[in-house]
């Protein structure tokens, strides 16, 4: 059996090696390493895929979130509501810009932000909401957008884990995750469902004025070369990474289908095991399974992780310390936030390998290893 990886990037690359190598070779031959033709074409192709007016590539997903907040003109002390159960970058950039992160709890089924909890946290200082489409499941965006409109708040979607996912509105219309809020942000970190071979990110919006501000902020605040209208930063997706992403974007739906097939197999295998809660799939969300995350009850997830390692099965515990309990947020009153669902989940969840190259024998070995531990 081929050794099991959480994400098998080498085998994925092997399947597209000739196309990727040729695309990178074209960039090297052109020597247009920054803002080259590959970057422009990828932006246009991603716009079409997401059905969004503007895609502005940048250096990474964290920059995408920071640039989005800078473009909105938020002021120090403004409050930004976000879940605590997420990768630290979501909240880190809020504090970096001297804004105040306000942490709220998540839905116990989807692990995405609880819209009712957001409403209770809104104050006169609240200016924005950052929902996180965690593990590949889309936040319930329809009521969230209605709430934001009611209170005149911006919505910045953290879509680092759910690119390609669909959200279905109550009238049956569908939109891609990241293309629903005022701004969407994503990461192209190699392990993402759409990943490059280094760092990369992008920002999405349907607002022409916001798009112009985002482009300006990402390029040293320039409105024209050497004319700097606002304080900005330097954040670009390089041409080599764009070339890789151009090869992988047409395969994204195929990659998602492969991930969902693995998730289906896990769901079926663990359906009769009371210690396991498998990932919930809300009817409004087309789950793209960036991670396959189990919730354990009556079993020690650290012991399971250790046991699986002995069976040569990697397993990851993502976000064991939620953002509101991190030392970096103590001065915001972090631990004073009452987030019982978040605190519970961070002691119970564990993620199993899921990727596009999973073999049937690998999948069966993982399943039997989990079952043998729990039985």
């Amino acid at each position: 059996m081929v050794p099991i990886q959480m994400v098998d990037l080498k085998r994925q690359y092997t399947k597209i090696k000739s196309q990727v190598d040729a695309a990178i070779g074209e960039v090297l031959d052109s020597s247009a390493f920054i803002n080259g033709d590959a970057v422009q074409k990828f932006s246009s192709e991603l716009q079409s895929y997401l059905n969004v007016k503007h895609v502005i590539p940048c250096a990474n997903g964290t920059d995408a979130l920071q640039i989005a907040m800078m473009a909105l003109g938020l002021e120090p002390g403004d409050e930004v509501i976000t879940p605590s159960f997420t990768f630290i970058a979501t909240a880190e950039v809020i504090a970096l810009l001297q804004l105040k992160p306000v942490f709220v709890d998540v839905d116990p089924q989807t692990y995405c932000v609880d819209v009712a909890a957001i409403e209770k946290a809104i104050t006169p200082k609240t200016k924005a909401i950052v929902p996180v489409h965690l593990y590949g499941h889309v936040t319930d965006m329809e009521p969230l957008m209605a709430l934001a409109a009611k209170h005149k708040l911006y919505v910045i979607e953290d879509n680092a884990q759910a690119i390609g996912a669909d959200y279905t509105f109550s009238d049956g219309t569908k939109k891609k995750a990241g293309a629903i809020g005022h701004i969407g942000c994503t990461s192209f970190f190699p392990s993402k469902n759409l990943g490059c071979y280094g760092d990369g990110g992008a920002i999405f919006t349907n607002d022409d004025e916001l798009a112009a501000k985002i482009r300006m902020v990402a390029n040293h605040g320039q409105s024209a070369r050497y004319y700097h209208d606002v304080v900005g930063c330097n954040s670009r997706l390089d041409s080599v990474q764009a070339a890789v992403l151009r090869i992988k974007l047409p395969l994204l739906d195929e990659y998602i289908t492969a991930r969902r097939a693995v998730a289906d197999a896990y769901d079926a295998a663990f359906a009769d095991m009371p210690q396991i809660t498998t990932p919930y799939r809300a009817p409004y969300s087309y789950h793209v399974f960036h991670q396959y995350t189990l919730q354990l009850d009556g079993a020690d997830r650290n012991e399971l992780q250790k046991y699986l390692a002995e069976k040569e099965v990697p397993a990851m515990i993502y976000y064991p310390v939620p953002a509101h309990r991190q030392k970096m947020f103590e001065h915001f009153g972090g631990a004073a936030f009452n987030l019982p669902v978040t605190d519970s989940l961070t002691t119970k969840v564990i993620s199993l390998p899921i990727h596009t190259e999973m073999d049937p024998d690998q999948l069966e070995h993982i399943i039997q290893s989990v079952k043998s531990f729990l039985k």
Side-chain angles (χ1 to χ4, degrees):
M1 184 176 65
V2 175
I4 299 170
Q5 310 289 334
M6 284 296 293
V7 181
D8 198 334
L9 295 176
K10 185 170 184 179
R11 292 177 74 200
Q12 186 188 71
Y13 163 64
T14 300
K15 287 187 175 181
I16 55 174
K17 184 180 187 305
S18 60
Q19 302 100 298
V20 168
D21 291 357
I24 292 174
E26 288 178 12
V27 174
L28 299 179
D29 287 341
S30 72
S31 298
F33 302 121
I34 301 296
N35 289 330
D37 187 55
V39 177
Q40 309 309 318
K41 287 181 177 177
F42 172 67
S43 299
S44 177
E45 290 158 2
L46 188 56
Q47 282 170 197
S48 297
Y49 177 82
L50 296 172
N51 193 25
V52 67
K53 286 182 71 175
H54 303 279
V55 168
I56 301 97
C58 61
N60 55 69
T62 305
D63 277 7
L65 290 163
Q66 178 181 326
I67 292 163
M69 293 180 199
M70 292 173 71
L72 291 174
L74 304 182
E75 300 287 341
D78 286 347
E79 294 178 355
V80 179
I81 298 174
T82 194
S84 177
F85 189 42
T86 179
F87 181 59
I88 200 65
T90 313
E92 183 181 35
V93 296
I94 298 170
L96 183 67
L97 295 173
Q98 299 182 45
L99 309 171
K100 181 181 178 181
V102 175
F103 298 110
V104 295
D105 220 340
V106 293
D107 180 272
Q109 288 184 300
T110 67
Y111 308 157
C112 296
V113 68
D114 183 342
V115 178
I118 293 175
E119 186 160 25
K120 292 176 184 176
I122 294 172
T123 75
K125 291 185 177 181
T126 307
K127 295 296 187 294
I129 304 166
V130 185
V132 180
H133 304 314
L134 197 69
Y135 299 147
H137 192 288
V138 188
T139 299
D140 195 359
M141 292 299 294
E142 187 168 12
L144 190 152
M145 293 304 295
L147 180 65
K150 175 183 174 183
H151 293 277
K152 297 181 172 58
L153 304 176
Y154 293 113
V155 174
I156 304 167
E157 294 177 73
D158 184 336
N159 195 36
Q161 298 186 17
I163 194 162
D166 289 317
Y167 178 86
T168 303
F169 288 81
S170 56
D171 64 1
T173 60
K174 293 183 180 182
K175 286 189 177 180
K176 291 290 185 186
I180 303 168
H182 299 94
I183 303 176
C185 301
T186 200
S187 165
F188 301 126
F189 188 79
S191 64
K192 303 300 185 187
N193 290 22
L194 178 62
C196 56
Y197 293 164
D199 272 317
I203 309 160
F204 326 131
T205 185
N206 286 304
D207 186 307
D208 296 340
E209 185 177 343
L210 269 178
K213 290 180 180 177
I214 290 166
R215 292 183 200 281
M216 192 183 303
V217 169
N219 188 26
H220 297 291
Q222 292 185 112
S223 56
R225 191 170 178 82
Y226 301 125
Y227 290 82
H228 306 268
D229 295 1
V230 297
V231 174
C233 59
N234 176 31
S235 186
R236 296 177 291 220
L237 178 71
D238 71 65
S239 301
V240 168
Q241 302 306 336
V244 172
L245 290 165
R246 287 194 69 210
I247 300 301
K248 296 180 79 173
L249 178 58
L251 300 171
L252 178 56
D253 289 345
E254 178 184 319
Y255 289 163
I256 290 169
T257 298
R259 286 174 173 271
R260 284 174 59 88
V262 174
D264 290 345
Y266 282 145
D267 283 355
F270 302 139
D272 61 349
M273 304 197 72
Q275 308 101 314
I276 292 178
T277 300
T278 55
Y280 178 69
R281 308 188 199 191
Y284 55 77
S285 171
Y286 184 77
H287 203 319
V288 297
F289 287 99
H290 174 58
Q291 305 294 348
Y292 185 88
T293 303
L294 301 175
Q295 185 180 161
L296 294 185
D297 287 287
D300 187 321
R301 56 100 180 263
N302 294 310
E303 289 300 316
L304 173 58
Q305 185 183 40
K306 188 185 302 182
Y307 179 83
L308 291 176
E310 292 170 358
K311 299 291 185 180
E312 299 184 330
V313 175
M316 291 292 293
I317 296 171
Y318 292 105
Y319 325 131
V321 181
H324 74 289
R325 295 196 177 278
Q326 296 286 352
K327 185 175 181 179
M328 67 192 293
F329 293 125
E330 282 180 355
H331 62 293
F332 290 111
F337 287 98
N338 181 30
L339 310 178
V341 177
T342 294
D343 284 332
S344 175
L345 290 174
T346 53
T347 66
K348 294 180 178 181
V349 296
I350 185 168
S351 298
L352 300 180
I354 188 165
H355 55 76
T356 57
E357 313 308 315
M358 189 82 76
D359 293 334
D361 56 340
Q362 292 178 315
L363 188 55
E364 185 62 21
H365 178 66
I366 296 165
I367 289 168
Q368 292 307 320
S369 297
V370 172
K371 285 187 170 184
S372 65
F373 173 81
L374 292 176
K375 288 180 178 179

